[in-house]
Amino acid sequence: MAQARSRKRRIGMQIAEHATGIIASILFLAPIAWTVLSAFKPAHEARQPPLPPWPTTGFSLENYATLNTFGDGLWLPAQNSIYVSVMTVVLSVIVSVLAGYGFSRFRFPLKNLLFVVILSTIMIPFQSILTPIFLVLTKIGLHNTLTGLVCVYVTLQLPFSIFMMRNAFDAVPREIEEAARMDGANNVTMLLRVMLPLVWPGIVTIALFAFLGAWNEFLAALVLMTDQSKFTLPIMMTALQSGRFGAIDWGAVQAGVTVMMVPCLVLFLLLQRFYIRGLMAGAVK
Amino acid sequence: MRRTLALALILSVAGSILAFDQFYIILRGGPRNQTLTAVYWIFNQSFVSFKLGYGAALSMVLLVILVALSLIQLRLLRQPEGVD
């Protein structure tokens, strides 16, 4: 009797858990599904009120075509976005792997103080130092260049990445290092051939964060880029929105957002396994 | 749970104070500046009116406010003595 009741309660709990999960995932998926579906509306329908979100008069790729006729086409801002994101990933991975290795395995004066200073810069939000950053970049002639944008993004990513990489290196057992040392590995071989394969999940995690951050970043790109040939995709989307006699072409905007979403989704799904392992390695420190 | 709560709270409070993208894209601060956020105000002063010095000063004020808010939250959610 008591057993049957407790089993019934367990099943009830399971149903409640699943229901919560399903409702939460619908809440998160709905806007994405809405955007993707309405991107396929023909142009005349995209101007109508947005309900229902799916196209009622047949699928069309008209919005994607409009997207490509705006300004210099879609490929140029896409190239800019790819360049900025890839450079951000490469630079922040190189710097934070070296810094993380140093902070984890070497002893040097003021090490702990330096680490705390780097960590405390996480507290300073980028938006609140926007104007000073703009002034500095103008002074050294890097405003309105993609290099300047990459510098800003790398600076923003570094505190978090260095923190993650130090935790990843800390998690590698010292015995492995000692064994490699016995086999005659110097510091560089040690890092490249012994440590790197072991901290791989951490590297994937910070690379993914850097990529998503640089790909989606809006405010810095809006402020620093004034030349239309240097716009990244998010800026291009707002230019598209306010261009054309002030009338908003919602269809094209939806199509653009859908295109922008694809690389993020692909990368995230591909790297999900590493990503979760990398975060867990850093979480319990 | 206190630590997790403190982290989540500080992140989301700071994130909402620093909101800009949505306001810029959807409303442009309108109608009649009713949807200006702090960051949007700084943006307008610095890059629309081009009062860069004033904008930089506003940025610093915002930074001080945010650090103060985060410290207050940390204080309120501090781990009680003797509990790990």
Side-chain angles (χ1 to χ4, degrees):
Chain A
M1 185 70 185
Q3 234 173 9
R5 193 182 296 157
S6 87
R7 183 185 293 161
K8 211 173 255 173
R9 187 179 296 165
R10 204 160 55 218
I11 292 175
M13 277 297 286
Q14 271 186 352
I15 292 176
E17 271 173 25
H18 279 90
T20 317
I22 290 170
I23 291 173
S25 47
I26 287 176
L27 275 180
F28 285 115
L29 281 176
I32 300 178
W34 189 308
T35 309
V36 173
L37 282 175
S38 41
F40 288 110
K41 286 179 180 178
H44 67 89
E45 199 190 332
R47 280 192 291 274
Q48 307 291 314
L51 283 172
W54 53 84
T56 46
T57 49
F59 278 84
S60 96
L61 295 174
E62 213 174 315
N63 290 323
Y64 292 93
T66 326
L67 196 62
N68 211 22
T69 57
F70 182 79
D72 302 315
L74 189 63
W75 183 229
L76 190 69
Q79 267 177 322
N80 289 340
S81 263
I82 292 170
Y83 172 79
V84 168
S85 310
V86 170
M87 286 302 285
T88 307
V89 168
V90 170
L91 282 179
S92 58
V93 163
I94 291 176
V95 175
S96 56
V97 163
L98 292 175
Y101 188 44
F103 276 121
S104 165
R105 285 295 195 260
F106 291 89
R107 295 175 60 183
F108 49 90
L110 296 182
K111 174 173 143 178
N112 287 332
L113 181 71
L114 274 180
F115 192 66
V116 169
V117 169
I118 289 178
L119 265 194
S120 63
T121 54
I122 293 183
M123 291 265 289
I124 301 172
F126 158 70
Q127 288 90 335
S128 69
I129 49 170
L130 177 68
T131 322
I133 281 186
F134 177 78
L135 290 172
V136 169
L137 282 183
T138 315
K139 265 261 145 54
I140 55 180
L142 278 179
H143 70 292
N144 201 17
T145 60
L146 293 175
T147 320
L149 202 57
V150 170
C151 289
V152 173
Y153 291 164
V154 171
T155 318
L156 295 183
Q157 287 298 334
L158 274 184
F160 170 77
S161 318
I162 291 176
F163 177 64
M164 285 291 296
M165 282 325 292
R166 194 192 76 147
N167 286 343
F169 279 112
D170 274 350
V172 176
R174 290 217 172 249
E175 287 77 11
I176 293 181
E177 202 183 354
E178 279 158 17
R181 196 70 79 192
M182 294 296 275
D183 287 336
N186 60 17
N187 283 333
V188 180
T189 347
M190 176 86 78
L191 176 62
L192 292 181
R193 314 248 323 246
V194 181
M195 296 299 240
L196 268 198
L198 292 171
V199 295
W200 197 240
I203 295 179
V204 171
T205 309
I206 60 167
L208 199 61
F209 264 93
F211 183 85
L212 294 182
W215 185 264
N216 292 325
E217 213 286 333
F218 177 72
L219 182 54
L222 178 73
V223 168
L224 295 174
M225 302 290 119
T226 46
D227 199 349
Q228 205 185 15
S229 68
K230 297 211 178 76
F231 280 0
T232 56
L233 279 175
I235 311 305
M236 152 86 175
M237 293 314 303
T238 47
L240 180 79
Q241 191 197 44
S242 56
R244 295 280 158 82
F245 322 113
I248 299 172
D249 189 350
W250 286 114
V253 172
Q254 309 271 39
V257 172
T258 311
V259 171
M260 268 186 66
M261 219 152 48
V262 173
C264 299
L265 285 180
V266 170
L267 270 182
F268 190 82
L269 291 179
L270 278 180
L271 300 175
Q272 193 187 21
R273 237 166 3 118
F274 294 104
Y275 166 74
I276 288 168
R277 246 200 298 165
L279 270 191
M280 299 285 268
V284 285
K285 288 280 142 41
Chain B
M1 281 273 278
R2 264 171 183 264
R3 285 178 162 193
T4 322
L5 275 181
L7 182 67
L9 191 68
I10 290 174
L11 282 182
S12 53
V13 166
S16 1
I17 289 178
L18 296 172
F20 171 79
D21 304 10
Q22 302 88 335
F23 295 84
Y24 182 83
I25 294 170
I26 300 175
L27 294 159
R28 304 267 150 153
R32 283 202 279 139
N33 290 352
Q34 278 169 0
T35 54
L36 279 185
T37 63
V39 178
Y40 205 142
W41 180 241
I42 294 175
F43 174 82
N44 267 349
Q45 289 301 319
S46 315
F47 305 109
V48 180
S49 321
F50 264 102
K51 291 188 254 176
L52 282 171
Y54 184 53
L58 282 177
S59 306
M60 287 302 125
V61 173
L62 178 63
L63 179 59
V64 170
I65 293 174
L66 269 173
V67 171
L69 271 180
S70 305
L71 287 180
I72 291 171
Q73 290 174 64
L74 272 181
R75 188 100 199 202
L76 289 178
L77 284 165
R78 196 169 41 180
Q79 205 82 347
E81 300 272 322
V83 183
D84 197 26

